[in-house]
Amino acid sequence: MKRRDFIIKSALAGAAISTYQLFPFSGIKKINGVGNPLRFPPELQSGESLIFNSANVEVWPGTTTQILGLNNSYPAPTIRIQKGDNFSVLFENQYTEEATIHWHGLLVPELMDGQPKDAVLPGNNYTYSFPVFQKAGTYFYHSHAHHLTAKHVYKGYAGFFIVEDDDELQYGLPTGAYDIPLLIQDRHSVYQPQFTYSPTMMDRMMGYLGDVPLINGTPEAFFEVQKTLYRFRLLNGSNARVYKIAFSDNSPFWVVATDGGLKDEAVQMNGLFLSPGERVDILFDFFPYSIGNSVTLQSQAFSGVGNQGTQLDLLRFDIVGSNSSGGIVPQNLQIINYYNINDITGTRNFVLSQSGMGSGMHRINGLTYDMNRIDEVIPFNQLEEWKFINNTNNFHPMHVHGVLFQVYSRNGNTNLSPNDKGWKDTVLVNPNETVQTLVRFNDYSGIYLLHCHNLEHEDDGMMLNIQIDAPTKFEDEQSSPDTFELYQNYPNPFNSSTKIFYRLNNQNQKVVLSIYDVNGNLIEKLFNGVQSAGTHAINWNASNCSSGTYFGKLTVDGLVKTIKLVYLK
Ligand code: C2O
Ligand code: CU
Ligand code: CU
């Protein structure tokens, strides 16, 4: 069944309304029929356009909300793509403010990363295009414009980017109408029905915390479910609010994926923290419930400064039928090679501080963001330990671009919660906590970002530029840097073929590109001829070779440069 049919079908089933009754012992209720059916944004195919503009959409029934978003849709369209495909989209900025599209959690070249320095100005277009080679998972996209990220996201500029692959199918997880993305955001009821973004100085310090949850843009959302197993892809797209995800009757759910895709095993939990920018995929079984009852996905109360930590009802599930999804809870999922702390080549400390009131109050290592300054230079393909040291009483969800990393410990404790274990791009750093992570950049080199994903903190400057060095080359063969450059291969590592990029600065150069193994044996000559100035890309299909490290050797008019190629079959 296609999702659209499912929505129509559920809407019809909604006609059966019974009276409200709270079970005294649990969070299970009789369906009371109030609220709004959960919405789903339209889907967008690669090759289509995303147009940034303001639009009026119906968020609260009978009224309109002026959004700043993409394709007149709040949430922004959901993108679904197969691993191995190339994604491209024409971004058209038809609004009066600069903007970018950042592909959060996706491994993309620097110029496709949608950083503030690469803003698309009003009236301009930009084509984002990149190969999707990472694990299937729940990713997301949003604006990342300088000092405007928080406002744009609050006003509706965020959507899902879901990567699928054949590997995932083998586990028997629920699919189709039983695989439901849930974007969780909060809005201020005082401005209802508008998404007014007017943070006070206190909001800039704490984050702009709303009091009305919207799920996929739906207020007081309910979703009609069958007595069967579902997969929910939870994305915290809120500016600042941390949720303590749980069901109203405290029923356990299984965590199956973190930010960067499937975990190694499905683990049962009763509650977990989900901070801005983080995703978690859970499985939940409605089989034990009776038709006519409901159970609610909530954010449970927890202690936090300001109104962070207040209890909220997020989404009510009304049990309406007994169809089966055919999905199962698999015992083992995808193998994750956990990094070994003994393999680190260095340590970096990132001290998170907050002082005073006013712009620049949130800092990392005493610095506020300067797009023209490089704050850290990071070697390619080296495992490093990064410590986030939170010296404040606030929550800081720390996010890194261009990499998926692993959490190692919290305040020295390596016995981590299951949602910390797996591939991550955002990690919640609690008040006065030190979180130790293990990080290795092995996909792209170039300038990327490290920042707090509390968007008020980010816009206040709690963000650094990090520069990932180019892959290792043979030192003794480097020469004449200005006549040509050998600068990138992707994917890297790769599992069947990879593209090698180089730039020639002079016309009509004699070019030879060959592949060698680690012992210096010639494997294959990819190109031998004369080429003109400009950027060239040559594909190497390694399927006849064994896994391991190879070198691409580029000779231009007798001068040599080498690039390291990591082939993982
Ligand atoms: Cu989701 Cu740099 O951001
Ligand atoms: Cu990001
Ligand atoms: Cu922060």
Side-chain angles (χ1 to χ4, degrees):
M1 187 166 39
K2 288 237 171 65
R3 175 163 284 110
R4 196 173 301 111
D5 303 339
F6 180 72
I7 294 164
I8 292 165
K9 190 164 174 288
S10 330
L12 294 173
I17 294 169
S18 53
T19 47
Y20 174 98
Q21 183 201 326
L22 180 64
F23 283 59
F25 52 88
S26 72
I28 302 173
K29 295 171 182 176
K30 281 266 175 76
I31 292 175
N32 64 11
V34 300
N36 305 299
L38 180 68
R39 298 172 188 147
F40 293 96
E43 301 216 346
L44 183 102
Q45 304 304 313
S46 175
E48 294 180 349
S49 301
L50 282 171
I51 299 169
F52 174 42
N53 211 335
S54 68
N56 289 309
V57 303
E58 186 172 312
V59 175
W60 284 274
T63 58
T64 57
T65 303
Q66 191 179 47
I67 62 157
L68 280 187
L70 296 165
N71 294 5
N72 304 330
S73 172
Y74 168 65
T78 296
I79 295 163
R80 227 174 257 281
I81 190 159
Q82 294 297 309
K83 175 181 170 176
D85 284 359
N86 206 77
F87 174 74
S88 82
V89 71
L90 175 67
F91 173 56
E92 300 181 38
N93 185 350
Q94 295 182 355
Y95 191 61
T96 54
E97 291 174 351
E98 62 180 48
T100 74
I101 305 179
H102 169 57
W103 313 95
H104 181 126
L106 289 147
L107 304 168
V108 303
E110 175 190 329
L111 293 178
M112 298 298 144
D113 196 40
Q115 300 176 24
K117 70 182 176 64
D118 301 315
V120 179
L121 300 178
N124 286 33
N125 296 343
Y126 187 77
T127 299
Y128 290 97
S129 166
F130 49 86
V132 176
F133 55 82
Q134 64 202 86
K135 270 173 74 147
T138 306
Y139 303 96
F140 111 98
Y141 68 99
H142 58 79
S143 176
H144 215 309
H146 197 43
H147 295 315
L148 290 169
T149 300
K151 173 183 162 186
H152 288 172
V153 172
Y154 189 83
K155 286 181 170 287
Y157 193 134
F160 277 101
F161 192 107
I162 293 171
V163 178
E164 300 177 328
D165 67 9
D166 293 341
D167 282 6
E168 238 192 17
L169 291 177
Q170 67 179 281
Y171 300 103
L173 300 167
T175 57
Y178 303 93
D179 173 358
I180 308 294
L182 299 174
L183 168 65
I184 307 172
Q185 299 186 303
D186 58 337
R187 296 293 180 263
H188 288 64
S189 58
V190 286
Y191 299 120
Q192 194 174 311
Q194 294 308 326
F195 288 171
T196 304
Y197 187 70
S198 64
T200 60
M201 188 53 76
M202 188 55 97
D203 292 328
R204 291 186 192 280
M205 185 167 92
M206 307 308 301
Y208 200 52
L209 292 159
D211 53 340
V212 178
L214 301 182
I215 311 301
N216 294 346
T218 322
E220 292 185 86
F222 70 84
F223 183 56
E224 298 188 327
V225 294
Q226 305 291 319
K227 285 164 56 70
T228 189
L229 189 73
Y230 280 77
R231 175 182 185 165
F232 295 108
R233 301 169 183 259
L234 310 183
L235 157 59
N236 184 348
S238 307
N239 282 38
R241 185 170 286 286
V242 176
Y243 299 95
K244 187 180 177 191
I245 298 293
F247 286 85
S248 50
D249 60 352
N250 272 310
S251 283
F253 50 85
W254 287 268
V255 177
V256 291
T258 55
D259 299 338
L262 289 184
K263 282 170 59 64
D264 40 352
E265 51 179 1
V267 185
Q268 250 189 354
M269 296 186 80
N270 292 84
L272 57 81
F273 287 98
L274 193 69
S275 66
E278 280 189 297
R279 288 87 64 208
V280 70
D281 292 12
I282 63 169
L283 302 182
F284 190 74
D285 195 353
F286 295 99
F287 189 75
Y289 299 87
S290 307
I291 292 176
N293 283 344
S294 68
V295 62
T296 301
L297 185 74
Q298 293 182 321
S299 182
Q300 293 185 335
F302 61 93
S303 68
V305 275
N307 74 354
Q308 188 74 273
T310 46
Q311 187 188 310
L312 295 167
D313 282 353
L314 303 177
L315 173 62
R316 192 183 77 235
F317 296 104
D318 292 346
I319 293 91
V320 299
S322 46
N323 295 346
S324 168
S325 65
I328 57 159
V329 181
Q331 291 237 299
N332 293 309
L333 295 165
Q334 284 170 355
I335 291 169
I336 292 180
N337 292 314
Y338 285 100
Y339 294 138
N340 184 336
I341 186 101
N342 297 317
D343 293 341
I344 61 168
T345 56
T347 296
R348 273 169 226 268
N349 290 338
F350 297 99
V351 177
L352 315 177
S353 63
Q354 192 249 303
S355 64
M357 277 282 212
S359 76
M361 59 186 151
H362 302 95
R363 292 170 180 243
I364 304 174
N365 289 343
L367 300 167
T368 59
Y369 179 60
D370 176 347
M371 69 169 81
N372 298 310
R373 185 190 67 219
I374 301 294
D375 301 299
E376 299 283 333
V377 178
I378 293 150
F380 189 81
N381 204 22
Q382 303 274 309
L383 185 67
E384 295 194 331
E385 167 198 42
W386 288 15
K387 282 185 183 167
F388 298 105
I389 303 164
N390 185 353
N391 286 339
T392 77
N393 293 322
N394 211 335
F395 297 92
H396 300 289
M398 299 306 296
H399 170 54
V400 192
H401 290 212
V403 75
L404 291 163
F405 59 81
Q406 295 174 2
V407 182
Y408 184 71
S409 78
R410 290 183 177 274
N411 279 341
N413 183 354
T414 56
N415 191 7
L416 297 167
S417 163
N419 57 310
D420 272 340
K421 293 177 78 177
W423 292 106
K424 297 286 295 166
D425 57 57
T426 306
V427 62
L428 175 59
V429 186
N430 291 293
N432 299 300
E433 187 183 43
T434 292
V435 176
Q436 197 179 6
T437 61
L438 297 172
V439 187
R440 185 209 299 268
F441 288 84
N442 50 14
D443 294 293
Y444 293 107
S445 43
I447 297 170
Y448 289 92
L449 295 170
L450 157 68
H451 63 89
C452 180
H453 220 284
N454 175 314
L455 300 181
E456 281 65 43
H457 295 179
E458 173 187 331
D459 277 352
D460 183 45
M462 199 170 198
M463 175 153 75
L464 300 180
N465 266 325
I466 57 179
Q467 183 181 313
I468 318 309
D469 266 354
T472 319
K473 299 161 182 174
F474 289 133
E475 296 297 333
D476 54 353
E477 286 182 334
Q478 298 312 304
S479 51
S480 213
D482 45 0
T483 62
F484 70 104
E485 278 170 89
L486 174 61
Y487 63 97
Q488 195 82 76
N489 76 299
Y490 74 63
N492 182 15
F494 62 101
N495 62 24
S496 57
S497 68
T498 190
K499 274 198 174 92
I500 299 165
F501 289 82
Y502 54 94
R503 188 160 34 231
L504 304 179
N505 296 330
N506 297 336
Q507 289 300 341
N508 300 325
Q509 300 208 275
K510 172 100 181 61
V511 175
V512 182
L513 179 63
S514 311
I515 304 294
Y516 289 83
D517 68 13
V518 283
N519 298 317
N521 301 315
L522 177 67
I523 301 296
E524 193 177 341
K525 204 168 256 186
L526 295 178
F527 183 83
N528 186 358
V530 175
Q531 283 183 313
S532 51
T535 299
H536 302 270
I538 290 182
N539 197 60
W540 177 39
N541 185 331
S543 46
N544 294 328
C545 301
S546 50
S547 278
T549 299
Y550 295 85
F551 294 94
K553 188 169 172 180
L554 180 70
T555 311
V556 177
D557 286 343
L559 303 172
V560 177
K561 287 188 183 186
T562 312
I563 196 166
K564 190 171 161 187
L565 309 165
V566 180
Y567 176 39
L568 298 173
K569 237 179 198 171

